[in-house]
Amino acid sequence: MSDQLRSWLRTVVPAAWSALVAWLVTAGAPDWITDPLGDAGPTLVVPIVLAAVYTLLRWAEPRLSALIARILLGSARRPTYMDSRSTVE
């Protein structure tokens, strides 16, 4: 798998998990939480959940098995990036 595809997967897959968690939160959140937010509720929940899920996955990544990392992150291997200081002139 190319590093470009790996980096794309490692962005999209956690975002998809975050969207699922955000949907579950908004679907089951009590009215007293969602009513004051009005129509902005789902809009606010998604970035908050995305930040929380991403932080949790980054923390848990070294502790996960390769299979679980592949499921939650899209790839068990991190992409490698070329150092911008090592360009050829």
Side-chain angles (χ1 to χ4, degrees), residues 53-89:
V53 168
Y54 182 78
T55 302
L56 176 67
L57 289 175
R58 295 297 295 191
W59 172 82
E61 182 179 9
R63 299 160 181 83
L64 298 174
S65 69
L67 176 63
I68 300 299
R70 202 169 293 121
I71 292 168
L72 295 176
L73 296 168
S75 174
R77 289 185 48 211
R78 291 181 179 185
T80 55
Y81 299 102
M82 184 172 64
D83 186 359
S84 62
R85 294 172 288 173
S86 65
T87 59
V88 177
E89 293 181 23

Side-chain angles (χ1 to χ4, degrees), residues 3-75:
D3 282 333
Q4 185 174 8
L5 177 59
R6 185 175 292 119
S7 66
W8 182 82
L9 282 172
R10 288 175 60 93
T11 300
V12 171
V13 172
W17 283 112
S18 298
L20 175 64
V21 170
W23 177 77
L24 291 171
V25 166
T26 57
D31 290 339
W32 62 270
I33 292 175
T34 57
D35 284 348
L37 298 174
D39 291 337
T43 305
L44 294 174
V45 168
V46 170
I48 291 168
V49 170
L50 177 58
V53 168
Y54 182 78
T55 302
L56 176 67
L57 289 175
R58 295 297 295 191
W59 172 82
E61 182 179 9
R63 299 160 181 83
L64 298 174
S65 69
L67 176 63
I68 300 299
R70 202 169 293 121
I71 292 168
L72 295 176
L73 296 168
S75 174

